[in-house]
Amino acid sequence: MQVLPAGPGALLAALEDAADVPVLYADLRRDLPTIQGCRDVVPGARTVLLDGLEDLEAARTYLAAWTPSARSAGGEPRVVELPTTYDGEDLDDVARRWEMTRAEVVATHTGTEFTVAFVGFSPGFAYCTGLPAELAVPRLDRPRPRVPAGSVGLAGEYAGVYPSASPGGWRLLGRTSATLWDASREEPALLTPGTRVRFTES
């Protein structure tokens, strides 16, 4: 792990393994009382930002001592199931790239347990890891001007769901009726870092 300064009262932890990001995030959230004045913890693709630190050295000491083997201390992660209709515009294209039938693509997608690595792009948009590296697919050469809310897609190594209608270049496998973002809920985002996600065919 590399620990870099990120402005006054902030440190950026850069990790080599993306799978360690949600683990460090969960541990930091649990241990915030021991890190004086830490206002926020923000995970990224391979980084975790600690912001609002009053004691930078205490945070550096924590990060220097942290190892992924401590992951059991975080408790069991939450699991969310997303019922999905597999009728996406890019399902045939993904099947061709994966050298599978449509049914095999669906079976592969539903048979994978994903983990939310981080959230970004738009409120509630979760970047989920779990697919083997050889199944990564490129984004569209030309993004669509409007992707409907609930669209389930793939881009690079990630799977995700569009929480609201927006432009986007992910390859679409289908759609879910689940509400990914609701500002009236106590926790607006359905999918948060570290959450396990399972797609089920509906």
Side-chain angles (χ1 to χ4, degrees):
M1 178 196 302
Q2 246 189 321
V3 180
L4 307 169
L11 293 173
L12 186 71
L15 298 112
E16 292 184 12
D17 189 346
D20 290 336
V21 170
V23 182
L24 176 58
Y25 171 78
D27 286 349
L28 284 167
R29 295 283 293 179
R30 181 199 63 214
D31 295 335
L32 279 182
T34 69
I35 306 173
Q36 185 179 2
C38 187
R39 185 176 67 245
D40 204 4
V41 181
V42 183
R46 284 179 173 77
T47 60
V48 179
L49 175 71
L50 287 75
D51 194 18
L53 292 167
E54 295 176 10
D55 189 339
L56 289 171
E57 286 312 307
R60 286 184 186 277
T61 299
Y62 178 96
L63 293 171
W66 183 85
T67 61
S69 61
R71 63 186 68 206
S72 60
E76 287 299 314
R78 188 167 61 98
V79 179
V80 173
E81 291 194 354
L82 298 177
T84 302
T85 301
Y86 287 90
D87 59 358
E89 296 177 48
D90 303 309
L91 184 56
D92 287 331
D93 175 70
V94 172
R96 178 180 59 80
R97 291 174 181 275
W98 286 2
E99 298 181 344
M100 297 182 184
T101 65
R102 288 169 61 108
E104 287 170 336
V105 170
V106 173
T108 299
H109 195 250
T110 57
T112 301
E113 183 175 83
F114 294 90
T115 301
V116 177
F118 61 99
V119 178
F121 174 60
S122 65
F125 194 111
Y127 288 72
C128 303
T129 58
L131 283 175
E134 62 269 20
L135 296 185
V137 296
R139 295 171 185 262
L140 298 175
D141 292 334
R142 186 169 296 178
R144 295 181 173 93
R146 185 180 186 278
V147 177
S151 295
V152 175
L154 302 173
E157 64 190 280
Y158 300 107
V161 183
Y162 285 78
S164 57
S166 68
W170 290 43
R171 295 184 189 269
L172 305 181
L173 299 182
R175 53 196 163 87
T176 180
S177 59
T179 301
L180 277 292
W181 177 264
D182 183 349
S184 67
R185 293 190 300 225
E186 183 176 351
E187 177 60 72
L190 178 63
L191 304 181
T192 54
T195 301
R196 304 292 192 196
V197 182
R198 296 183 187 132
F199 294 89
T200 60
E201 189 173 10
S202 63

